[in-house]
Amino acid sequence: MLRPLLFAVASALVLGACASSTSSGPAKPEATETSVVVSPFNLGLQTADELVAAGNTPTAIQRLMQLVGDTSLSPQQRSEVLHRLGQLSISPTGYDAEGAVDYFNEVLRDFATTAAAKQSAAALPAAEAAVAVHLATVESVDSTRSDKFLALFNLGRHQDAIDLMVANDILPGNEELLAMYQIGYLCDDSNLTGRAYSVSDRDGTLRSLRFCDFGK
């Protein structure tokens, strides 16, 4: 009686071992997710380009101003960001000609051996010429208040331009009003007081904007 019992137990152990070996099999490698790490430099430039493409150059400039202060940037990268800041500032929707001159000069002064320095040297004369034209408009006795407002705004002297605008009840064009909204001077807030300015956004949205510091 004992022998058949031992044989049955042994058979059960063998079958169990075979089943265990079959079920486990060779281990399959687990799928792993590959994460792409984007550097602050690339992310900042990409974000700025997207903002420009969406018609929001002032906010793109603000994004690059944050980026240029990132201590992780190499000198080469910082020179590229400064040059890009100069390019955007002197562009038709950058409204900061004096800032563009400063950015280009900073590249030439602090990063003279970089590729961005050569590009900045090439762009600097046109930026300086634009500043000279705007300053001449501001100083001319023949310029209207609206002309002086535009010159100041394009120079990057935004608060001076707005002071002139408010004091003389100047109504700027949609582009300048939209830039004031994007920079942060005008807000879409029904609780604000003062004159309302009708502005068409890039997507066609009509906004009624007031100066952000009125009524707070």
Side-chain angles (χ1 to χ4, degrees), residues 46-124:
Q46 178 183 333
T47 302
D49 288 343
E50 290 172 353
L51 287 166
V52 172
N56 197 336
T57 301
T59 305
I61 290 173
Q62 292 171 3
R63 177 67 184 88
L64 292 181
M65 288 173 68
Q66 294 173 342
L67 178 61
V68 80
D70 191 325
T71 56
S72 71
L73 296 187
S74 68
Q76 174 72 33
Q77 290 173 332
R78 185 165 282 107
S79 71
E80 290 182 38
V81 176
L82 286 167
H83 175 71
R84 184 66 174 141
L85 273 166
Q87 285 182 313
L88 294 184
S89 296
I90 197 60
S91 69
T93 53
Y95 302 109
D96 192 7
E98 288 182 325
V101 170
D102 290 341
Y103 289 129
F104 293 143
N105 277 323
E106 185 173 354
V107 176
L108 292 172
R109 181 182 67 248
D110 298 338
F111 307 97
T113 60
T114 63
K118 294 181 180 180
Q119 295 171 327
S120 294
L124 181 59

Side-chain angles (χ1 to χ4, degrees), residues 90 97 101 123-136:
I90 197 60
V101 170
L124 181 59
E128 289 176 330
V131 168
V133 169
H134 295 318
L135 286 175

Side-chain angles (χ1 to χ4, degrees), residues 8-201:
V9 171
S11 298
L13 291 173
V14 171
L15 289 172
C18 291
S20 175
S21 175
T22 303
S23 61
S24 60
K28 294 182 179 180
E30 294 183 3
T32 57
E33 293 184 3
T34 303
S35 59
V36 178
V37 179
V38 181
S39 70
F41 172 72
N42 290 328
L43 179 60
L45 288 182
Q46 178 183 333
T47 302
D49 288 343
E50 290 172 353
L51 287 166
V52 172
N56 197 336
T57 301
T59 305
I61 290 173
Q62 292 171 3
R63 177 67 184 88
L64 292 181
M65 288 173 68
Q66 294 173 342
L67 178 61
V68 80
D70 191 325
T71 56
S72 71
L73 296 187
S74 68
Q76 174 72 33
Q77 290 173 332
R78 185 165 282 107
S79 71
E80 290 182 38
V81 176
L82 286 167
H83 175 71
R84 184 66 174 141
L85 273 166
Q87 285 182 313
L88 294 184
S89 296
I90 197 60
S91 69
T93 53
Y95 302 109
D96 192 7
E98 288 182 325
V101 170
D102 290 341
Y103 289 129
F104 293 143
N105 277 323
E106 185 173 354
V107 176
L108 292 172
R109 181 182 67 248
D110 298 338
F111 307 97
T113 60
T114 63
K118 294 181 180 180
Q119 295 171 327
S120 294
L124 181 59
E128 289 176 330
V131 168
V133 169
H134 295 318
L135 286 175
T137 300
V138 171
E139 296 165 1
S140 175
V141 295
D142 296 325
S143 299
T144 65
R145 291 188 177 93
S146 293
D147 292 337
K148 292 184 178 182
F149 161 81
L150 286 173
L152 288 169
F153 201 72
N154 280 292
L155 281 169
R157 302 181 187 183
H158 301 144
Q159 190 58 60
D160 290 342
I162 289 171
D163 289 344
L164 183 66
M165 165 187 167
V166 174
N168 295 278
D169 198 26
I170 296 170
L171 179 60
N174 188 80
E175 285 298 308
E176 289 74 34
L177 290 171
L178 182 56
M180 289 183 204
Y181 174 60
Q182 293 170 338
I183 294 170
Y185 290 108
L186 294 176
C187 290
D188 191 355
D189 186 345
S190 59
N191 294 320
L192 296 173
T193 59
R195 179 175 178 175
Y197 298 90
S198 180
V199 178
S200 177
D201 212 334

